[in-house]
Amino acid sequence: MKINLPCEIVRDLLPSYIDELTSEMSTKAVDEHLKECEKCQNILGEMKRDLVQEKQAEGGDLKGEFVGELQRDSTFDEDKKVILKINRKINRRLKLSIFMGLFSVILVFMAIYILYNEALKKVSIDDIEVTAKVYAMDELEIEYGTSMVTEKKDGKERSYEEKTAILHIPESYMSSVEVSASFLEGTEYLTVISLKSPYFLNRYTRDFQKQGEEGVLYLGGFRTTFLDNQPFSQDQMTNSMEFEKVDKIAYIHEDGTETVLWENEE
Ligand SMILES: [Zn+2]
């Protein structure tokens, strides 16, 4: 049976025909058509050339039969090969400069971010004023409630209800604080600590110690960020809490001597 396909159908089939994906029957019909149709032959030639150029640009291997055809094809001459090579060089350079440009922009942003947020500068203890207030737990108004907690463990999500406690703290900027209710079991005191400084304190260390009857909180390593280290016109307040009765807050110098920053006089 001889089928003569219309050009339009043949052209739709050509990409699969090149990749040898057409059925035996379709392949035969396309072959038949190509024998008689010069226009479709030309289109097939163009498609094969485009494919070869694409593969060359990717640096991939060429199928032997294509190369053979190219060498026989007078339109694909040495000039075209030279132009292809130049194009590839330009493409590579363009890609490299785009990459380098993006990379430098990212580096600059990282540097600014680190200087503003991560690179730390020491703040002198003389620039910090410490005050604290001790509250007995039973003096505080405590509001109990529940909240849903979602925990991820070993890739599994688990939700459970947790008893919470909202502590209302008078005369403090921390007017209320929410904690897990279990946290308050056996807790008798809460100390609210305020640090006043012309610098924004990005980091400092704390270490609570029981020394006999006395609770001592050691603060140290006060740091502000490198670029964000101009003294503010208004003092910055940094607040924290200790679920302990703090009697004394102190700083230990490098030589081991101690400066008392605050002492409970009540
Ligand atoms: Zn045709």
Side-chain angles (χ1 to χ4, degrees):
M1 190 173 73
K2 190 174 167 182
I3 309 161
N4 202 2
L5 295 170
C7 292
E8 220 183 319
I9 292 179
V10 171
R11 283 167 206 177
D12 284 344
L13 287 171
L14 284 180
S16 311
Y17 175 82
I18 293 173
D19 290 335
E20 292 166 14
L21 295 173
T22 41
S23 69
E24 204 179 317
M25 198 175 162
S26 304
T27 308
K28 264 188 190 165
V30 173
D31 283 339
E32 289 294 334
H33 181 93
L34 286 172
K35 269 183 212 162
E36 279 149 35
C37 180
E38 207 177 315
K39 276 186 189 169
C40 287
Q41 279 173 31
N42 289 338
I43 289 172
L44 177 66
E46 264 170 46
M47 280 184 175
K48 283 189 174 178
R49 270 198 297 281
D50 286 348
L51 205 64
V52 169
Q53 286 181 11
E54 260 174 45
K55 288 208 169 176
Q56 277 196 338
E58 285 168 11
D61 267 291
L62 293 175
K63 265 192 178 178
E65 55 176 313
F66 277 166
V67 176
E69 268 175 53
L70 280 175
Q71 280 162 352
R72 269 179 267 126
D73 192 339
S74 60
T75 57
F76 194 86
D77 50 20
E78 286 302 308
D79 288 350
K80 277 200 173 173
K81 281 187 189 164
V82 171
I83 289 170
L84 265 179
K85 265 188 192 166
I86 293 170
N87 273 345
R88 256 185 291 154
K89 257 191 185 165
I90 292 173
N91 270 341
R92 249 180 235 160
R93 275 191 198 156
L94 194 67
K95 273 184 200 163
L96 188 70
S97 44
I98 289 171
F99 175 78
M100 290 307 284
L102 281 175
F103 190 65
S104 347
V105 169
I106 290 169
L107 274 187
V108 167
F109 273 98
M110 271 171 68
I112 292 171
Y113 178 84
I114 287 168
L115 286 173
Y116 260 105
N117 296 293
E118 296 300 325
L120 299 171
K121 202 181 173 192
K122 222 175 160 182
V123 173
S124 161
I125 190 69
D126 300 329
D127 281 323
I128 295 162
E129 195 188 312
V130 179
T131 52
K133 194 161 167 54
V134 180
Y135 299 91
M137 270 311 170
D138 51 21
E139 284 178 346
L140 294 177
E141 191 194 319
I142 303 174
E143 210 181 296
Y144 287 96
T146 54
S147 78
M148 288 302 287
V149 182
T150 308
E151 204 180 50
K152 224 178 173 181
K153 208 177 171 187
D154 304 327
K156 278 181 196 165
E157 256 186 28
R158 202 169 66 96
S159 290
Y160 58 92
E161 225 171 48
E162 192 188 57
K163 273 192 92 181
T164 57
I166 297 169
L167 310 175
H168 293 277
I169 307 164
E171 297 163 60
S172 162
Y173 117 105
M174 283 185 172
S175 54
S176 68
V177 171
E178 189 179 315
V179 293
S180 154
S182 62
F183 198 74
L184 296 184
E185 281 166 28
T187 305
E188 284 177 83
Y189 292 97
L190 168 72
T191 306
V192 177
I193 302 134
S194 300
L195 307 175
K196 202 162 93 179
S197 166
Y199 300 98
F200 170 71
L201 297 178
N202 188 274
R203 217 169 288 177
Y204 61 94
T205 58
R206 42 199 288 156
D207 177 29
F208 179 79
Q209 288 179 15
K210 267 277 191 207
Q211 295 179 356
E213 283 297 290
E214 217 181 33
V216 183
L217 179 68
Y218 289 100
L219 297 180
F222 298 100
R223 298 280 192 277
T224 189
T225 55
F226 197 77
L227 284 182
D228 202 11
N229 68 351
Q230 295 305 307
F232 294 90
S233 53
Q234 255 182 321
D235 282 336
Q236 301 296 301
M237 291 291 278
T238 308
N239 295 271
S240 66
M241 298 185 305
E242 206 66 50
F243 284 89
E244 300 282 355
K245 183 173 182 286
V246 175
D247 300 294
K248 195 169 95 177
I249 298 175
Y251 177 84
I252 297 179
H253 296 272
E254 275 166 26
D255 61 8
T257 56
E258 202 177 290
T259 298
V260 175
L261 301 171
W262 175 85
E263 222 168 343
N264 194 359
E265 274 144 23
E266 278 170 28

